[in-house]
Amino acid sequence: MQPSIIAIKMEGIIMVQFDWQIVETAEYSHDTEPSFVTLTTRSYLTITGHAPNRIRDPEFQAKADVVKAVAAKISKGPGAGIMIDRYRSYRPYPLQAVWSGGDTIDDRHDFKLWVKQPLFVKSEYAKQALTQLNLGELGDQVAFENLAEGTEIQSFSATPLTNSSQAVQTLTDAVSELGLEQVHQDSHREVYIDGYGPDVAALLRFEIDPAVGKIDAGRMAVN
């Protein structure tokens, strides 16, 4: 699949901006039918918290704003005075959250926010962005980590996720019908591919054991 045709002019050079939503459509899918991803170790900006009211909670919103602000600053690279080696213009990746602490979606109030970074982004560039932004105590909580999502089954929900969401039932049924095994019974991942806020859509992911059950290789994205 070809990169986005969005062009950025910088120092007299026209650069094509990498857009994950165009290049990585299978990974960031709007399909309600179950599909699979295997995501290897990459770098992420992260921050953790507790949100009794989940995505509507002020703590979730504040920490989401902070980690996305850092990601946006890094993405500007030389334009923000961050001299990234082998920099290429790109659209910042979407916010995602791993929710944990309960047996059901509605009971999970502990969160860890992740924002993926391109391979050329190193921890030193995140530190420069944080210094520039001067985000105070919340900025001090932002970490730069190398993490792997593993193998997951996913389904898109056009509305915020709850126990009664169709995406939850879709994945629960698929896990049973395909003989899959969830790695964690008390957590799940939400990827906010259309932005984040109190009434957002989400791509729901359950981590599964890749050695158990029937995984459709034709509906698998690997990155």
Side-chain angles (χ1 to χ4, degrees), residues 77-161:
I82 302 174
M83 306 311 293
I84 298 175
D85 186 35
R86 299 182 182 180
Y87 173 80
R88 176 186 176 188
S89 180
Y90 66 96
R91 178 184 176 191
Y93 279 90
L95 180 76
Q96 51 181 293
V98 175
W99 291 93
S100 60
D103 292 333
T104 70
I105 300 283
D106 292 346
D107 294 329
R108 295 168 187 163
H109 303 293
D110 296 323
F111 64 85
K112 182 170 185 173
L113 300 180
W114 302 29
V115 180
K116 186 163 73 171
Q117 300 301 294
L119 293 172
F120 53 74
V121 172
K122 310 300 181 187
S123 61
E124 63 194 84
Y125 306 135
K127 291 176 182 177
Q128 290 178 41
L130 283 162
T131 298
Q132 287 190 28
L133 289 166
N134 191 22
L135 296 168
E137 182 180 342
L138 286 182
D140 293 340
Q141 296 178 38
V142 176
F144 187 91
E145 299 186 71
N146 294 317
L147 302 167
E149 289 190 39
T151 298
E152 297 167 308
I153 186 171
Q154 64 181 14
S155 175
F156 181 72
S157 173
T159 57
L161 286 161

Side-chain angles (χ1 to χ4, degrees), residues 37-56:
V37 292
T38 294
L39 302 173
T40 56
T41 301
R42 297 290 293 272
S43 297
Y44 294 84
L45 297 173
T46 65
I47 191 169
T48 60
H50 180 76
N53 204 24
R54 291 188 27 85
I55 61 173
R56 294 178 176 274

